[in-house]
Amino acid sequence: MQSEWLVKLPLLQSVIKKKEVLWCNPLVEPVAAGLSKTHLSKDDITDASDRLERFAPYLAKVFPDTDKGIIESPLTPIPMMKRELETTYAVNIPGRLLLKQDNALPISGSIKARGGIYEVLKHAETLAINSQLLDNAKDYSQFDTPAFRELFAMHKIAVGSTGNLGLSIGIMSAKLGFDVTVHMSADAKQWKKDLLRSKGVHVVEYMDDYSKAVEEGRRQAEADPSCHFVDDENSTDLFMGYAVAGERLASQLKEQNITVDEEHPLFVYLPCGVGGGPGGVAFGLKLAFGDHVHCLFAEPTHSPCMMIGMMTGLHDQVSVASFGLDNKTAADGLAVGTASAFVGKTMEPFLTGCYTVEDQTLFMLLKKLADSEGIWLEPSALAGMMGPVQVTKSKLPLADSKYATHLVWGTGGNMVPEDEMKDYYNHTRK
Ligand SMILES: *Cc1c(COP(=O)(O)O)cnc(C)c1O
C-alpha cells in the first residue's frame, strides 16, 4: 500500500521521513456547500450552548473558579512571541498574533474542559429528566444536592484517554457523584493518574497506546448497561461541546475590536490528536465566521494521523504505523496513531490544511513563549504556534494579508505540576 501512496501523494515522502510539512486540503469548500454534506448544524451548537447556560448556576456553585459557571478562556495578544517567531524563522508575519488560552480553562486546564465536561453534563441532565428529578425550567444548582448525587452514584461513566480527556471527564463525573473509570494509555503522566485517584476516580492503566485504552474501555463499558462510555472517536456530544467555542470567540474578538471579514481573514491553528477537540472548535468557527476563517490542524511529525487519514481519504482505515511512523512524541495529548473517521469526514470540506511539528520545535517554542510572554503551555499545546510560520511561507490565499489575525489555540498547560513544567522548559524530560 505504502509505495503506491508515495507516488500518488509525493508529500507523503517527506511525512515518512518525519519532516515538518504543510498539507493544503484540496477538498476545502465554501461553508454553505460543506454544511450540505453533514447532518450537523448550527442548531446543534445552539442546543449545546443553551445547555451550558442552564448548567451555569450549578458550575458556579461547585467550581467557583469559573466565570459565573461559564467555562471560558482568555484571548491574549502575544506580540513579543510574534517577534520571536519572525527572528527564529526569518519570516515576516503580517497581521496580528493572538493566543486562545485554553491552558487557563477552569476545572481541568485544557481544551478538554469544553467537550468533556459538556458530555458529562448532558448525560447527567438526561438521567435527571428520565428519573423525573428535573424539568428544563428548574434551577440546575440542584445538581449539587444529595438526591442527584444518589442517582448518579448508581450510574457509571468510562473513558479512554492519553490524559487530559480523562482529567476532564474524571473530575466532572466525580463531582456530580458518578462512579467513573478512566482507562489510560502508557503515555499518560503519573501525576494525572494520582490526581484522578485523589478525587475518587478509578484509573485503569495500559502498557499500550491510546487506541488500546479506548478499545478496552469501550469493551468493558458495553458489557454494562448502567455505564456511559465517552467515545472520543465518535461522540457528537463531545464535538458540540467543543463547537460552542466558535460563538464565544466571536464575542471576544468583537470586544477587542478585531474585525473578521473578507479583507480581514482569521487563521486558526489547532493541535490535533484524535480530532474531536480541534474538529469541534473548527466546526464552531466555520459557523461563526463563515468563509473568513481558515482552520489548520497541527500534529507531531511522529503522529500525523489526521493528515494521513485526510490525505489518503482512508481516515481510520490507515494508521501512522502503516507509513512506518512510531507514534512516539512528548506531545502526549497528540500521541494518537489513528484519527477519528467521524471528524476526518466531517472536516473534509471545512479544513484548510494540516501541518506537522517536530518535538524539538515544541520544546523550543515552549521556552520562547515562557520567556517572551510569561505564558506556560504544555508541549502538545505549542504545536499551533508554528502555524503562522507555515502559512506565511505558503501560497495559501490571503497568507500575506497584513490585515490577518493569526490565532494559536493554546490547548493546555495549567494543570501541569511546576516541577514537570520546569523539566519541559529545560527540556530534561521527554
Ligand atoms: C486532547 C488534546 C488535544 C487534541 O484534541 P483531540 O480531540 O485529541 O484531537 C490538543 N492539545 C491538548 C493539550 C490536548 O489535551
Side-chain angles (χ1 to χ4, degrees), residues 58-84:
Y58 166 72
L59 291 174
K61 204 168 154 196
V62 296
F63 294 115
D65 61 329
T66 55
D67 179 12
K68 300 191 183 76
I70 295 298
I71 304 165
E72 199 39 76
S73 73
L75 178 64
T76 311
I78 46 168
M80 267 95 78
M81 185 62 192
K82 182 173 169 227
R83 224 163 297 144
E84 286 290 328

Side-chain angles (χ1 to χ4, degrees), residues 142-348:
Q142 296 175 82
F143 277 80
D144 185 36
T145 55
F148 283 73
R149 279 192 292 273
E150 278 159 29
L151 168 69
F152 300 140
M154 296 185 299
H155 291 85
K156 293 178 188 158
I157 291 185
V159 66
S161 171
T162 62
N164 284 345
L165 184 63
L167 282 184
S168 162
I169 300 289
I171 294 171
M172 190 66 248
S173 304
K175 183 64 92 181
L176 282 158
F178 282 103
D179 178 354
V180 53
T181 302
V182 177
H183 299 266
M184 282 209 165
S185 57
D187 347 84
K189 299 279 181 278
Q190 190 57 43
W191 65 266
K192 294 185 185 175
K193 300 174 194 167
D194 296 343
L195 191 147
L196 284 172
R197 288 189 173 121
S198 79
K199 297 192 183 289
V201 176
H202 309 291
V203 178
V204 185
E205 300 177 48
Y206 296 88
M207 294 309 290
D208 227 308
D209 75 355
Y210 163 85
S211 304
K212 181 73 187 170
V214 171
E215 186 191 312
E216 231 359 80
R218 182 183 284 126
R219 200 182 56 75
Q220 292 181 21
E222 271 168 2
D224 182 348
S226 75
C227 186
H228 176 78
F229 181 69
V230 178
D231 188 341
D232 201 9
E233 290 166 346
N234 298 298
S235 166
T236 44
D237 287 340
L238 272 180
F239 194 83
M240 286 305 152
Y242 290 118
V244 172
E247 57 179 43
R248 302 257 187 95
L249 181 73
S251 332
Q252 285 184 315
L253 286 169
K254 204 173 258 168
E255 271 163 30
Q256 299 189 16
N257 292 317
I258 296 171
T259 306
V260 178
D261 62 17
E262 191 128 28
E263 283 88 51
H264 302 79
L266 173 63
F267 288 93
V268 181
Y269 311 103
L270 296 141
C272 179
V274 72
V281 170
F283 184 72
L285 291 170
K286 279 288 177 185
L287 282 163
F289 300 101
D291 297 323
H292 310 313
V293 66
H294 310 274
C295 301
L296 291 101
F297 288 175
E299 298 180 292
T301 50
H302 287 244
S303 310
C305 62
M306 188 60 80
M307 183 190 271
I308 289 177
M310 289 188 76
M311 261 173 117
T312 58
L314 293 174
H315 300 293
D316 62 349
Q317 300 307 303
V318 66
S319 79
V320 299
S322 320
F323 287 92
L325 297 170
D326 61 9
N327 190 27
K328 288 208 160 59
T329 169
D332 50 346
L334 314 181
V336 177
T338 309
S340 157
F342 153 60
V343 174
K345 284 176 194 164
T346 304
M347 290 319 291
E348 235 161 46

Side-chain angles (χ1 to χ4, degrees), residues 374-414:
I375 298 172
W376 297 77
L377 300 183
E378 61 189 271
S380 298
L382 270 308
M385 200 58 83
M386 275 303 280
V389 177
Q390 283 289 4
V391 163
T392 305
K393 290 197 301 189
S394 78
K395 295 195 168 54
L396 281 167
L398 299 168
D400 57 354
S401 166
K402 63 179 179 209
Y403 304 114
T405 296
H406 295 270
L407 190 153
V408 173
W409 214 277
T411 44
N414 277 19

